[in-house]
Amino acid sequence: MNWTVFENKLKKKRMETDHIPGCAIAVSKKGKMIYQKGFGVKNLESGDSVTPKTIFGIASVTKSFTALAIMKLEEEGLLSIHDPVIDYLPELQISCIQPIDSIKIHHLLTHSTGLAPIRRREELNDFHQHLNYLAETNHDILGTPGEFISYCNDTFLLLGAIIERLTGRLFRRYMTEEILAPLHLHRSTFSIEELQKLEDVSTPYVFNEEKRDYEIHPWPALGNYEVGGGIRSNVVDLLKYGELFLNQVPPIITKKQLDKMWKPYMPLSTNSSYYGYALEVTPNYHGMTLVEHGGGQPGVSSHFGFIPEQDLVVAILTNVSDASVKDIWIEAVNTALDLPIEERRTTYPSIELSQEQQRRFLGTYQSEEGTSLQINLDAQGLKANIENKEFLLYASDEKTLVIADIHRPIRFHMNSEGIPWAAFFGLRMLLKQSVS
């Protein structure tokens, strides 16, 4: 395990390129810590160094905690993941999805309800309000439940409403009492007020590309979106969490229920990886299984996961938006497994497309949530414009373009005439809006 090579790449490439002020990394194998270290600073003004116990936001890594709670309730006989959501939330209505009882709890867990990403309403702090929002507003529909996967925080958060209905406890209270506390995650919390009382807490930053400077971003309250993104934690606690999946320590739920969470339910991109219940699964990585999930919010980039065959857990947390934590995570995994650090989850071959085939991809693809992707063509070839950054693309097949520098695929969904109507990118279906 050559951690020196890993650290040099992290400091000289990842942290500089992505403007990461602070980063914490921890790795355990067979239940024992084999690597833990903080890099950079948790606060630029004070210059205080990051430690493995520094608290960061974990953003959407929170989703697997919520999925775990649902699996626990199923084990207790209070629900089935195959039950219609309206059995627990009878007021649920989503325009154009009929019959409404076709949406199962399974679809919430796998982001496959058929609803495209919608505009966030973080001011909504009550699940009744969110159910009204879903019912009273027209939203983009992709298809029938189970037909497509597309990240949708606004349907995932309904799992929190189900937890409240079944337990009679506030979502946050149930999660703290039944999940965080029994797992001894004592430096993990949903509460911003608690953060102010804890020591060794990071400051979230957004790097302003125009000003070339960092801006502090206050911890967001999130409202109902805390169901999928509200935990603040540290890499040491996340390793404890990983031990639950690998060794059922402590034994708060059976292995049978845990294993359901990382079954390959919904294919992603070119079918080399899949989405389970709030966990991504790559079944054949050098004969092993990668189980992981990332997260991002203003001031937060996170990644957590495990390799069951090796009894390995890896957690990465940073205090800046849009950092390449997924790449840092696989580099840490490769280092721990004595694989070449540059190894990737999937390799994408390159093929030549005709001018006509290339032009079919051109246009703007976006979601109500705000994600936007523009495909252009010039003398150099196809390019993607993402958040005012331009990336060169190459074709991997007739439906897939790959961002060359980071080997990240964009999968296009075509109509009967072979014209794209949506792009699957960042786990989201972005609908085509216009042609460039």
Side-chain angles (χ1 to χ4, degrees), residues 312-329:
L312 186 77
V313 186
V314 179
I316 314 284
L317 296 174
T318 76
N319 58 344
V320 73
S321 312
D322 302 321
S324 55
V325 285
K326 192 169 186 176
D327 294 326
I328 298 171
W329 187 86

Side-chain angles (χ1 to χ4, degrees), residues 51-300:
T51 76
K53 293 186 178 180
T54 299
I55 295 174
F56 298 82
I58 71 169
S60 285
V61 175
T62 302
K63 287 182 170 65
S64 64
F65 286 80
T66 299
L68 171 64
I70 292 294
M71 305 314 293
K72 188 172 187 293
L73 293 173
E74 183 182 55
E75 185 167 270
E76 293 167 356
L78 295 178
L79 59 78
S80 165
I81 53 175
H82 303 296
D83 288 339
V85 175
I86 61 167
D87 286 0
Y88 308 95
L89 305 174
E91 65 271 51
L92 175 66
Q93 292 293 327
I94 299 175
S95 177
C96 297
I97 297 183
Q98 297 296 333
I100 196 65
D101 63 3
S102 63
I103 301 178
K104 308 298 199 296
I105 293 174
H106 167 86
H107 298 129
L108 303 184
L109 290 163
T110 55
H111 297 283
S112 60
T113 62
L115 186 66
I118 68 175
R119 184 171 64 89
R120 288 175 71 92
R121 297 281 305 278
E122 291 188 3
E123 76 277 12
L124 301 181
N125 199 40
D126 179 278
F127 291 121
H128 290 291
Q129 295 174 319
H130 230 107
L131 285 160
N132 289 337
Y133 173 47
L134 290 173
E136 295 171 358
T137 308
N138 290 323
H139 306 290
D140 292 327
I141 302 298
L142 302 169
T144 59
E147 188 176 359
F148 298 103
I149 177 173
S150 182
Y151 218 66
C152 184
N153 285 294
D154 293 82
T155 51
F156 190 90
L157 64 79
L158 297 178
L159 296 167
I162 292 172
I163 290 169
E164 287 197 356
R165 295 280 175 95
L166 284 175
T167 67
R169 286 185 264 180
L170 289 174
F171 167 78
R172 183 187 292 191
R173 183 165 296 172
Y174 176 86
M175 294 296 294
T176 301
E177 294 173 352
E178 301 295 335
I179 304 295
L180 301 184
L183 292 176
H184 309 297
L185 307 186
H186 301 312
R187 284 179 55 77
S188 300
T189 180
F190 283 89
S191 170
I192 295 176
E193 182 184 5
E194 284 188 10
L195 281 184
Q196 297 169 349
K197 297 180 179 181
L198 290 166
E199 296 181 350
D200 200 0
V201 177
S202 66
T203 299
Y205 291 97
V206 173
F207 186 76
N208 188 312
E209 291 284 355
E210 293 183 3
K211 297 179 180 178
R212 308 299 296 171
D213 200 3
Y214 295 92
E215 298 174 350
I216 294 176
H217 194 286
W219 294 103
L222 294 175
N224 293 326
Y225 296 98
E226 73 173 11
V227 173
I231 294 177
R232 284 84 181 185
S233 186
N234 61 92
V235 292
V236 175
D237 272 9
L238 289 180
L239 293 195
K240 295 179 190 176
Y241 177 53
E243 279 301 302
L244 175 68
F245 289 92
L246 298 178
N247 299 301
Q248 292 73 62
V249 178
I252 67 170
I253 188 172
T254 62
K255 183 177 186 298
K256 177 183 177 182
Q257 287 299 98
L258 288 168
D259 287 353
K260 287 182 184 179
M261 290 179 60
W262 52 279
K263 284 187 176 180
Y265 296 114
M266 301 296 296
L268 303 174
S269 298
T270 53
N271 298 356
S272 58
S273 296
Y274 300 80
Y275 202 83
Y277 291 162
L279 290 168
E280 294 181 47
V281 185
T282 305
N284 188 19
Y285 184 74
H286 293 271
M288 296 169 285
T289 309
L290 303 180
V291 186
E292 57 189 298
H293 207 286
Q297 290 168 356
V300 173

